[in-house]
Amino acid sequence: MSKLWGMPDRPDLAAMAAPLTRALMAAETPILREHGLSMWAYAVLLGLDERPVRTQAALAESIGADKTRIIRVLDDLQRRGLIERSPDPADRRVRLLSITPEGRRLRDAAQAGIRRMEERLLSRLSDDDREAFVRVLRVLSALPAQEFR
Amino acid sequence: MSKLWGMPDRPDLAAMAAPLTRALMAAETPILREHGLSMWAYAVLLGLDERPVRTQAALAESIGADKTRIIRVLDDLQRRGLIERSPDPADRRVRLLSITPEGRRLRDAAQAGIRRMEERLLSRLSDDDREAFVRVLRVLSALPAQEFR
DNA sequence: ACAGAAGATAAGCGTATGCATATCGTCTGC
DNA sequence: GCAGACGATATGCATACGCTTATCTTCTGT
């Protein structure tokens, strides 16, 4: 009864997810470096994708970063013209964050390189497996923390 | 042509794998604490599962740890009688590492708690999705780093 | 037998991270 | 109108990590 669904023995999920994440990030890092982006900077550009985010704290939360540490990253991205940080006319405490066309270009270029790496990796799977894996990964990664209790 | 295989737009794999890993580890931590185990200590017990490992460096490598940092963890586990560290009679530089029955009991108990959490999580998937996800995760997590180039 | 390699261990360094605190400007409910 | 809440920012601290160096013991090739 310890094996519901007839699932064969397997490693813990975290014991598989952690090395995979490490390997993916290790593979991303040099690609991002080529574009002059740190992991956090890239995460910010992704987080600002499309919808502008209203507050820096909200952005930090959405990308799982510390809200005080993200500030230097934003400073740098703004200085390089990749994002815009304008005071909200309706609430001058707030900085409206948005990605610039230049920022979008850079993000797209970096992401394209990353996608090439990822697709090489996924190409070893069957179409069905690839589809199911990405779909499930998407669902599980989007679950709120309390679903893991 | 940017969408081979008709794959719909999706987040980067790392952007999904990283939060999932974080959530899984966050959910594991309190379970391990109940058994008096740190994440590294648990990783060691898992790494020693079944086959005894011949050298500490090999163990460290197999669980993705630093070989100098792991020593204190081994000291602690040995002191608690959860592992054994005996000099190899054939090469007295080497410490043969093995898990004790007591260590196995503790590992099993901790793992059972973790499995309950994981199965609750996976229970929201269809049988097919669950099977494919775990199988693919297992394959990808076991790939050597150079496969990610 | 001896030089060099290998294993275990200790210690130090630079960096990243999460967490807490403090300040300052601004808003909002009463 | 003011107290308290909120957002952005800077700073400090403890922790953890990867990496390097050094030391000691033991083995191996020549």
Side-chain angles (χ1 to χ4, degrees):
Chain A
M1 73 176 197
S2 70
K3 312 261 177 60
L4 303 175
W5 304 279
M7 177 79 74
D9 265 343
R10 57 164 176 83
D12 294 345
L13 292 183
M16 297 186 287
L20 176 59
T21 299
R22 243 176 299 161
L24 285 170
M25 300 220 295
E28 276 195 15
T29 300
I31 299 174
L32 293 176
R33 284 266 171 260
E34 286 170 21
H35 298 277
L37 290 174
S38 69
M39 198 66 79
W40 283 124
Y42 181 60
V44 165
L45 293 183
L46 286 179
L48 291 180
D49 195 14
E50 314 315 329
R51 62 214 131 98
V53 176
R54 237 185 66 80
T55 77
Q56 300 186 177
L59 173 64
E61 228 236 286
S62 81
I63 64 176
D66 186 286
K67 72 181 189 300
T68 76
R69 297 287 167 171
I70 211 181
I71 293 172
R72 302 308 182 87
V73 178
L74 296 177
D75 289 347
D76 181 61
L77 288 173
Q78 184 181 29
R79 194 179 41 72
R80 292 164 62 189
L82 302 174
I83 66 169
E84 261 182 13
R85 208 159 26 160
S86 53
D88 183 346
D91 183 344
R92 280 180 299 178
R93 291 173 305 181
V94 174
R95 312 295 174 84
L96 295 176
L97 302 171
S98 57
I99 191 169
T100 65
E102 181 61 26
R104 208 180 299 277
R105 234 185 334 269
L106 188 61
R107 168 181 63 71
D108 287 345
Q111 193 164 43
I114 288 170
R115 279 306 154 93
R116 275 191 291 277
M117 177 271 292
E118 292 181 347
E119 292 299 332
R120 262 198 307 278
L121 190 70
L122 294 176
S123 71
R124 62 178 68 231
L125 305 175
S126 72
D127 284 5
D128 285 351
D129 276 0
R130 162 209 307 278
E131 194 274 330
F133 179 70
V134 172
R135 181 163 37 77
V136 169
L137 185 56
R138 200 166 182 168
V139 168
L140 295 182
S141 67
L143 288 178
Q146 65 262 25
E147 301 288 341
F148 287 78
R149 298 259 174 75
Chain B
M1 71 174 195
S2 69
K3 312 262 178 58
L4 302 176
W5 303 278
M7 179 78 75
D9 265 343
R10 58 164 175 84
D12 294 344
L13 292 184
M16 298 186 286
L20 177 58
T21 299
R22 242 176 301 167
L24 286 171
M25 299 219 296
E28 275 194 15
T29 299
I31 300 174
L32 293 177
R33 284 265 170 261
E34 286 171 21
H35 298 276
L37 291 173
S38 69
M39 198 67 78
W40 284 125
Y42 181 60
V44 165
L45 293 184
L46 285 179
L48 289 181
D49 196 12
E50 312 315 329
R51 57 210 136 103
V53 176
R54 238 186 64 83
T55 76
Q56 299 185 176
L59 172 65
E61 228 235 287
S62 81
I63 64 175
D66 185 284
K67 74 179 187 302
T68 75
R69 296 287 168 172
I70 212 181
I71 292 174
R72 302 308 183 89
V73 178
L74 296 179
D75 289 346
D76 182 60
L77 289 173
Q78 184 181 26
R79 193 178 43 70
R80 292 164 62 190
L82 303 174
I83 66 169
E84 262 183 14
R85 206 162 23 162
S86 53
D88 184 347
D91 183 343
R92 280 179 300 176
R93 292 172 303 180
V94 174
R95 313 296 175 87
L96 294 175
L97 302 170
S98 58
I99 191 170
T100 64
E102 182 61 27
R104 207 179 300 277
R105 237 188 328 273
L106 187 62
R107 168 182 62 72
D108 286 346
Q111 192 164 42
I114 288 170
R115 278 307 153 92
R116 275 192 291 277
M117 176 272 291
E118 292 182 348
E119 291 299 332
R120 265 198 304 280
L121 189 70
L122 293 176
S123 70
R124 60 179 70 231
L125 304 175
S126 73
D127 284 4
D128 285 352
D129 275 1
R130 161 209 306 274
E131 194 274 330
F133 178 70
V134 172
R135 181 163 37 78
V136 169
L137 185 56
R138 199 165 183 171
V139 168
L140 294 182
S141 66
L143 288 178
Q146 65 262 27
E147 299 289 340
F148 287 77
R149 298 256 172 77

